[in-house]
Amino acid sequence: AQSVSQHNHHVILSEAASLELGCNYSYGGTVNLFWYVQYPGQHLQLLLKYFSGDPLVKGIKGFEAEFIKSKFSFNLRKPSVQWSDTAEYFCAVTRAGRRALTFGSGTRLQVQP
Amino acid sequence: SQTIHQWPATLVQPVGSPLSLECTVEGTSNPNLYWYRQAAGRGLQLLFYSVGIGQISSEVPQNLSASRPQDRQFILSSKKLLLSDSGFYLCAWIRGTSELTGELFFGEGSRLTVL
């Protein structure tokens, strides 16, 4: 069965620190990859996505993610976090021909001012 | 523009009682519809998805069922709730296409507490 692993469950950083959240998936075929974010009291929303092409994907608010096929990974990065980045981050994967996303367990990011 | 609505937003039910959570999408046709359950530390668990009226795919064997009586309506039900059914339920939609290449749009969620 397809699974998505997020190894960091809770991350605490100071403002201006760099961020990297890990995401690994288990499916070996062609995949589409997503990062979603849920700010406190708000809906889940898409941060960025990868379908094909350049494995380094840039999203909103300065976030980027790199698809490394050999490592089955899609890690999320941001060079300098802000207090407003405090949120829960979810990695999600779907494979070609499948109609639904499989989500990871989420990483709660807390940025201290 | 497209919108998605879920209700009720909050529900407290006794064990053994029935459940009905409703989700409707406006401003689009033939969407793919999803029910997810969000639990602390466990992320989002896909429960059901539907690619059309009367077409339901179940991802996890459980006490719940889903139905899609109309193109833009998706209902999550149970005949007899269990304590373990407590959680935060999210409905989501995406444009109906042969390949899932777009993003999911989520509703506001329904928090269910079973006592």
Side-chain angles (χ1 to χ4, degrees):
Chain A
Q2 186 177 354
S3 70
V4 181
S5 300
Q6 291 183 243
H7 313 294
N8 315 105
H9 299 293
H10 189 193
V11 174
I12 302 174
L13 295 173
S14 299
E15 276 194 311
S18 64
L19 170 72
E20 180 160 4
L21 301 182
C23 173
N24 289 91
Y25 61 94
S26 62
Y27 183 67
T30 301
V31 293
N32 295 331
L33 300 156
F34 305 79
W35 275 97
Y36 280 80
V37 59
Q38 188 172 28
Y39 297 103
Q42 296 188 26
H43 297 188
L44 274 155
Q45 58 186 285
L46 183 69
L47 199 55
L48 48 78
K49 58 188 177 183
Y50 171 81
F51 298 143
S52 63
D54 188 345
L56 185 62
V57 179
K58 295 194 183 298
I60 60 172
K61 302 186 180 184
F63 285 91
E64 65 179 30
E66 185 174 13
F67 171 50
I68 303 179
K69 189 174 182 178
S70 61
K71 295 185 177 180
F72 299 91
S73 70
F74 190 55
N75 291 355
L76 181 70
R77 300 195 293 249
K78 185 171 183 178
S80 175
V81 295
Q82 301 173 317
W83 177 79
S84 58
D85 294 323
T86 294
E88 191 156 15
Y89 293 82
F90 295 90
C91 181
V93 177
T94 190
R95 65 177 190 260
R98 179 160 166 74
R99 305 290 183 90
L101 271 68
T102 300
F103 283 83
S105 56
T107 297
R108 185 171 299 277
L109 172 66
Q110 185 179 346
V111 180
Q112 296 175 333
Chain B
S1 63
Q2 300 85 8
T3 57
I4 179 169
H5 301 288
Q6 279 184 246
W7 68 90
T10 305
L11 196 59
V12 180
Q13 292 284 99
V15 170
S17 64
L19 170 72
S20 181
L21 299 179
E22 190 164 338
C23 171
T24 59
V25 180
E26 297 176 0
T28 188
S29 59
N30 196 32
N32 289 347
L33 295 170
Y34 305 82
W35 279 110
Y36 283 89
R37 178 165 54 201
Q38 185 175 13
R42 296 182 61 184
L44 286 134
Q45 180 186 32
L46 177 63
L47 302 176
F48 301 94
Y49 69 93
S50 170
V51 299
I53 295 174
Q55 300 178 62
I56 307 296
S57 296
S58 175
E59 290 291 303
V60 182
Q62 57 205 318
N63 187 43
L64 303 170
S65 62
S67 61
R68 186 167 175 178
Q70 299 180 46
D71 181 45
R72 295 187 294 269
Q73 184 184 31
F74 203 26
I75 297 172
L76 184 68
S77 304
S78 173
K79 292 182 179 178
K80 288 186 179 181
L81 284 168
L82 305 172
L83 285 174
S84 58
D85 292 324
S86 293
F88 190 58
Y89 291 84
L90 286 164
C91 181
W93 77 274
I94 194 168
R95 293 185 199 285
T97 61
S98 59
E99 292 291 328
L100 187 63
T101 57
E103 68 182 276
L104 281 174
F105 296 93
F106 287 88
E108 306 94 338
S110 298
R111 185 164 299 282
L112 170 66
T113 303
V114 182
L115 302 175

